[in-house]
Amino acid sequence: MLTKILFTFAAIKVCSAIGCDQPGFSKCICGDIEFRGKVQYVLNCTDVGFTNASVLSQLPPQIQVLIFTGNNIPELPWNVFGTKNSNEQLTEVDMSNNNIREIRGKTYHRVPNVERLILNHNQISTIFEGKIQQHPRVFSNFESLEELHLTDAFADNSPEDIAAVLHNIFINSDLSRLKKLHLEQNEISHFTDPRLFCDLRDLMDLHLGTNKLSGIDFMVDCLKHLRFIDLEANAIKQLSLRDLSILDSLPDRNQNLTVDLSNNPLSCGCDIQDFFNWLKRTRVTIRNKDKLKCQNDLQGNDQSLVELKQVDCPRTVKVGVPVSQCPTESNHTVTFLAIALAVCLAMHVYTHRVKLQEKFLKPVLHSVSNKVQYTSVGKQETQEIGV
């Protein structure tokens, strides 16, 4: 938001002499502005109070960047950019923070050269009338799309619904040129289809930060160009050997891979040793590796992974056992001594078995024998009385 505000002030300074005389855009700022390192024709309609998107059907033909944010547009209609202009110069569309709830299947037409689409911080619903939205080709006309930003873009639907919608979109919309995908802050806990991203053949950067993922349940070996996975601030307590193998599969194909695992609640259980050993040998680059920490389940304190170098936890220990309860050298020593003591005791009993029989066993047998005799006499007397 701060970036947008600064940009707006800069745009006003440059465009105040130019003005924006395009029909319907009198509240907006437009003109040739330096944007992303080069001068482009920008139309900026940030926080101007639009309640529908009809004005966008009259975009100026020379437009290269559209910034249409901070308005209140619950629904995007068909052909939102009209049917007259070709919009061949348009390369970026930012429609963030517009309270968008529904995007029709034929909303985006005439966007052949748009490379960056930003729909962050909206309320796009994945459910309509009790069913999953069926607009799988919603992005199919973005033939040149390289960046798709969907940070906090969906309403608070279930992770299964969001995953299903994304699955349909990726399969039915040709996004083969997509290089960057942002899905942060969408409360995604898992993906039901492990091949969800495999249709994005050119994908390089996958941003999944600030979700609720507990592991890596999607394939990456099908993405030959993938170079970065953002898993920051998820719900990852342990990465299984399978997860680590999945990450290793890309470097094995001679493609560098960087992964961000910062701010996850890694557990200091015994299985952390597998992860620590993997950190030492993997060719995957772990961002801020020296700052990774795990949490002690008993004390709730963070502990640097570097301090776990000397922990020796065998694989037989159950997952989630705190490091303080892991078998250590002293535990093994106590166990050995206990076994040795038991063996010595057994040998002592065997060696002195004759004396032990005379002292303990015979008196016990004699006592039992007398008791049996007394009991038999008692039973006989009882039977005689009853005659």
Side-chain angles (χ1 to χ4, degrees):
M1 181 59 72
L2 179 59
T3 302
K4 293 179 180 179
I5 293 173
L6 292 176
F7 169 77
T8 301
F9 286 135
I12 292 174
K13 183 176 180 180
V14 175
C15 294
S16 58
I18 301 174
C20 194
D21 56 359
Q22 296 292 333
F25 296 111
S26 59
K27 298 179 181 180
C28 304
I29 300 165
C30 63
D32 291 323
I33 300 169
E34 185 173 343
F35 185 74
R36 297 193 189 278
K38 61 181 179 180
V39 176
Q40 303 183 74
Y41 189 92
V42 178
L43 173 61
N44 184 356
C45 300
T46 298
D47 297 329
V48 295
F50 285 118
T51 57
N52 64 71
S54 60
V55 67
L56 297 179
S57 64
Q58 305 174 44
L59 290 177
Q62 70 272 34
I63 187 172
Q64 293 173 285
V65 177
L66 171 64
I67 301 176
F68 193 82
T69 66
N71 297 289
N72 185 20
I73 318 292
E75 180 181 328
L76 296 183
W78 288 1
N79 299 310
V80 67
F81 296 143
T83 57
K84 297 179 180 179
N85 297 333
S86 60
N87 301 319
E88 291 183 356
Q89 304 298 316
L90 187 61
T91 60
E92 178 167 343
V93 175
D94 184 351
M95 302 186 74
S96 302
N97 196 29
N98 281 318
N99 195 34
I100 297 172
R101 297 181 179 276
E102 183 176 2
I103 303 176
R104 300 262 182 170
K106 298 180 180 179
T107 289
Y108 291 116
H109 283 181
R110 292 174 172 77
V111 287
N113 296 314
V114 171
E115 298 176 355
R116 183 182 289 109
L117 175 62
I118 305 174
L119 290 167
N120 299 337
H121 307 297
N122 280 295
Q123 295 291 322
I124 301 171
S125 178
T126 59
I127 300 296
F128 182 71
E129 294 182 351
K131 298 181 180 179
I132 295 178
Q133 293 275 33
Q134 297 297 322
H135 301 321
R137 294 178 57 81
V138 66
F139 300 133
S140 61
N141 291 309
F142 288 94
E143 302 170 11
S144 305
L145 195 64
E146 295 184 358
E147 294 186 26
L148 178 57
H149 296 250
L150 295 170
T151 299
D152 189 27
F154 298 98
D156 294 332
N157 298 126
S158 70
E160 291 80 4
D161 297 334
I162 294 176
V165 167
L166 292 174
H167 177 270
N168 291 337
I169 289 174
F170 295 157
I171 288 179
N172 292 281
S173 296
D174 184 9
L175 298 175
S176 58
R177 295 187 180 183
L178 195 69
K179 292 179 171 58
K180 296 182 180 182
L181 175 62
H182 288 260
L183 291 170
E184 302 99 323
Q185 302 177 35
N186 283 305
E187 299 187 2
I188 300 171
S189 60
H190 65 278
F191 298 107
T192 53
D193 182 3
R195 295 185 57 83
L196 175 70
F197 303 112
C198 287
D199 289 289
L200 311 177
R201 296 188 297 273
D202 281 355
L203 192 65
M204 299 175 68
D205 300 340
L206 177 58
H207 295 264
L208 296 169
T210 320
N211 279 292
K212 296 182 178 180
L213 295 170
S214 58
I216 302 171
D217 56 1
F218 52 88
M219 295 175 61
V220 298
D221 58 349
C222 59
L223 302 171
K224 297 181 180 180
H225 304 286
L226 190 64
R227 65 184 183 184
F228 178 62
I229 304 177
D230 172 22
L231 292 169
E232 181 182 4
N234 272 272
I236 299 174
K237 292 186 177 181
Q238 294 285 354
L239 284 176
S240 66
L241 293 176
R242 175 183 173 276
D243 292 336
L244 302 179
S245 176
I246 289 174
L247 293 178
D248 277 332
S249 62
L250 245 120
D252 286 343
R253 293 174 176 245
N254 297 317
Q255 169 63 51
N256 293 331
L257 177 65
T258 298
V259 178
D260 192 341
L261 292 166
S262 306
N263 300 315
N264 275 285
L266 295 171
S267 172
C268 291
C270 292
D271 278 4
I272 199 67
Q273 189 67 38
D274 287 330
F275 178 59
F276 183 79
N277 292 335
W278 177 82
L279 287 178
K280 291 190 292 185
R281 63 175 169 75
T282 185
R283 288 191 289 158
V284 175
T285 300
I286 305 299
R287 179 177 287 183
N288 297 321
K289 178 169 63 176
D290 294 339
K291 297 181 180 179
L292 287 179
K293 295 182 179 181
C294 62
Q295 296 179 355
N296 190 304
D297 293 337
L298 291 180
Q299 300 173 0
N301 299 324
D302 290 340
Q303 186 175 3
S304 173
L305 290 188
V306 177
E307 299 175 6
L308 298 178
K309 286 184 179 180
Q310 303 305 319
V311 175
D312 182 19
C313 290
R315 295 180 184 277
T316 54
V317 178
K318 294 182 180 180
V319 176
V321 178
V323 170
S324 59
Q325 296 179 6
C326 292
T328 61
E329 215 168 307
S330 61
N331 294 134
H332 292 303
T333 301
V334 171
T335 302
F336 175 78
L337 291 175
I339 294 174
L341 180 62
V343 171
C344 290
L345 181 62
M347 292 177 64
H348 179 78
V349 170
Y350 181 78
T351 303
H352 300 85
R353 62 186 183 279
V354 176
K355 292 182 177 180
L356 291 173
Q357 286 177 356
E358 292 290 334
K359 188 173 183 179
F360 297 103
L361 187 59
K362 286 186 176 181
V364 171
L365 291 175
H366 180 71
S367 175
V368 171
S369 177
N370 290 337
K371 185 176 181 181
V372 170
Q373 292 176 1
Y374 294 149
T375 303
S376 300
V377 171
K379 287 184 178 179
Q380 292 175 357
E381 289 178 351
T382 303
Q383 291 175 354
E384 290 176 355
I385 291 172
V387 174

